Amino acid sequence: MGAIARRLPFHYGWLIVVVAIVANTITGGAMFWTTSVYVPAISEDFGVGRTVVVAAFMIGQTVFALAGPFVGRYIDQNGAVRVIRLSVFVAPAALVLTSFAEAPWQLFIGWSIASVGRTFIMPIPFNWVMTRWFEGRRRQTALGLVTVGFGLGGATLLPLYKVLEERTDWHTTMLVSGIAVLAIQVIAALLVRNHPADIGLRPVVSADERRLDDLPAIEWGLSAPQSLRTPAFWLMSTGLMLFFIGQGSITTLAIDFFDSRNVTAGAAALSIAALIRTVARVPIGIALGRVTRVYALAVVVILSQGVGGAFGPMLEPLLITRTFGVRHYGAVSGSQQMVTTGGQVFGTIGGAALYDLLGSYTLPFLIYSAGVGVGAGLVALCGMIAMRPVHQARLLTSGRSDTAS
């Protein structure tokens, strides 16, 4: 692999970025965006209400959230490559088996297993790899670009899966998605390495930070237990949870919302929105290397919603690395994932339940919007606390203090 890396006209780290983008595209399309296609289709197939189907997917989200801290801690200790190789088997097999479900309980079990496999792919493993292959401002850029794949899944695969479901059924759609996840994870398992030193390379740094390349890599940062004891962690996690409740719940329920309003092009509208966000993520991801006022940017992004959709997935890794460092990124990110993703469970199930009760999505969508405003305020408070001397002193004892806000 080292010989191949040295023949490339660019640093091998950027090839890993491309692999991560494609993996996030296919996995995000298969295990996030397609749920909006599955909800009405499975509801009609099984003859049950929306709440039952949404609950099955949200239990999967709960499993995904609970598995995060354990997967993250394992990655911190052993690297991401082992987990990525394991993902070749778990998520694809679970999707294929779930595609044969004929009752809600089978969907519950199958999607829960698939959600465990999802933690082996996104977002922690590839984000963790970015923190090792890139330094300084290039790290921010790489983390931003990797999230482009998530939006691409909605922009490119959602309409394809919707057409496939209409021409066949949801069973075939899920089967195809499982095969697609298998294919990209095999490629990822072959190409990704934990550290550039594994193939005789140095991390990627910008020209004006080249001095960092001459120094030993210092993976500084607070541990997960240390982070959990800070107010910054809970303010950040709760604020992002409220933001993602709105983003995630509306996305999951969007096609059913359009159907309830007799809008036949719901999937097309959702995919166009995802395409706009994806196109916006590319220049935003590149520009992240120049951003210093991360917390102020996060507040603007959350309040904007539309722009926030383009930038939203970038917030978590950017805020975590700025506030808690990278040494224990996996465990800290997994702990935050448990909070942010766990909250989405109740938001989406609550929205589906209110629809079954009222026959309208107006009230839940208004609640989601109000939560976004509260979330922005909490992230602003997080930024204030993170820049206080007490928090900075903790970073100093862990190896580094970053005074940019």
Side-chain angles (χ1 to χ4, degrees):
M1 191 64 68
I4 296 175
R6 285 186 285 274
R7 291 193 187 100
L8 292 175
F10 49 83
H11 196 284
Y12 191 81
W14 294 114
L15 176 62
I16 295 180
V17 169
V18 173
V19 172
I21 290 173
V22 177
N24 284 343
T25 297
I26 293 176
T27 305
M31 304 193 68
F32 179 81
W33 294 98
T34 51
T35 56
S36 61
V37 174
Y38 294 145
V39 168
I42 296 177
S43 176
E44 294 177 8
D45 185 27
F46 289 170
V48 297
R50 277 12 177 209
T51 305
V52 174
V53 180
V54 170
F57 290 128
M58 290 306 102
I59 285 178
Q61 282 285 79
T62 302
V63 172
F64 172 74
L66 293 175
F70 301 99
V71 173
R73 188 175 298 110
Y74 181 86
I75 290 174
D76 284 336
Q77 296 172 351
N78 302 282
V81 170
R82 290 185 182 180
V83 170
I84 292 172
R85 289 172 178 169
L86 184 60
S87 71
V88 172
F89 305 99
V90 181
L95 286 171
V96 170
L97 291 175
T98 307
S99 70
F100 293 97
E102 297 181 351
W105 69 268
Q106 296 171 344
L107 178 66
F108 274 68
I109 295 175
W111 197 258
S112 294
I113 297 173
S115 297
V116 172
R118 179 183 164 194
T119 64
F120 301 157
I121 306 174
M122 61 181 297
I124 298 175
F126 287 113
N127 286 349
W128 185 93
V129 170
M130 296 303 109
T131 68
R132 270 56 184 178
W133 275 82
F134 296 85
E135 295 284 352
R137 292 195 298 273
R138 287 289 185 263
R139 177 183 292 151
Q140 291 187 186
T141 299
L143 287 170
L145 289 174
V146 165
T147 65
V148 169
F150 181 76
L152 276 174
T156 60
L157 296 182
L158 175 60
L160 295 178
Y161 284 140
K162 177 61 177 175
V163 170
L164 180 61
E165 189 278 324
E166 289 175 344
R167 295 185 177 181
T168 57
D169 52 35
W170 71 267
H171 300 276
T172 303
T173 303
M174 191 175 291
L175 176 64
V176 170
S177 72
I179 295 172
V181 172
L182 172 63
I184 185 55
Q185 288 310 114
V186 168
I187 295 173
L190 292 173
L191 296 179
V192 175
R193 295 294 183 270
N194 288 319
H195 301 273
D198 294 343
I199 55 175
L201 299 177
R202 300 285 298 177
V204 180
V205 296
S206 60
D208 59 342
E209 295 177 307
R210 187 65 61 185
R211 58 184 177 78
L212 296 177
D213 199 35
D214 298 327
L215 300 173
I218 301 175
E219 296 174 355
W220 61 278
L222 301 179
S223 67
Q226 288 174 323
S227 300
L228 287 167
R229 289 195 292 269
T230 65
F233 176 88
W234 295 104
L235 288 169
M236 181 195 303
S237 299
T238 306
L240 291 178
M241 177 191 71
L242 292 171
F243 172 59
F244 288 128
I245 281 177
Q247 291 283 314
S249 300
I250 290 175
T251 299
T252 300
L253 301 171
I255 289 182
D256 198 38
F257 165 76
F258 285 123
D259 289 344
S260 71
R261 298 297 179 93
N262 296 317
V263 177
T264 57
L270 199 59
S271 64
I272 291 172
L275 178 61
I276 294 173
R277 293 172 179 177
T278 300
V279 171
R281 279 179 187 147
V282 176
I284 288 175
I286 295 173
L288 276 182
R290 301 179 180 180
V291 173
T292 57
R293 301 186 65 82
V294 172
Y295 301 103
L297 177 62
V299 171
V300 173
V301 165
I302 291 173
L303 289 176
S304 68
Q305 276 295 311
V307 176
F311 196 95
M314 304 177 186
L315 287 181
E316 281 186 286
L318 188 59
L319 290 174
I320 289 173
T321 54
R322 179 57 60 91
T323 308
F324 305 111
V326 301
R327 180 182 296 169
H328 304 283
Y329 175 84
V332 176
S333 179
S335 298
Q336 186 175 89
Q337 175 182 295
M338 184 168 61
V339 178
T340 58
T341 307
Q344 293 178 45
V345 173
F346 301 102
T348 308
I349 292 178
L354 285 173
Y355 174 81
D356 286 342
L357 180 65
L358 303 175
S360 171
Y361 282 113
T362 300
L363 180 59
F365 280 22
L366 288 174
I367 294 173
Y368 298 149
S369 298
V372 166
V374 176
L378 294 178
V379 171
L381 287 175
C382 168
M384 295 177 187
I385 290 176
M387 301 316 300
R388 290 172 58 188
V390 172
H391 188 84
Q392 289 291 301
R394 290 179 178 176
L395 292 184
L396 278 170
T397 60
S398 72
R400 172 176 171 176
S401 177
D402 195 334
T403 57
S405 60

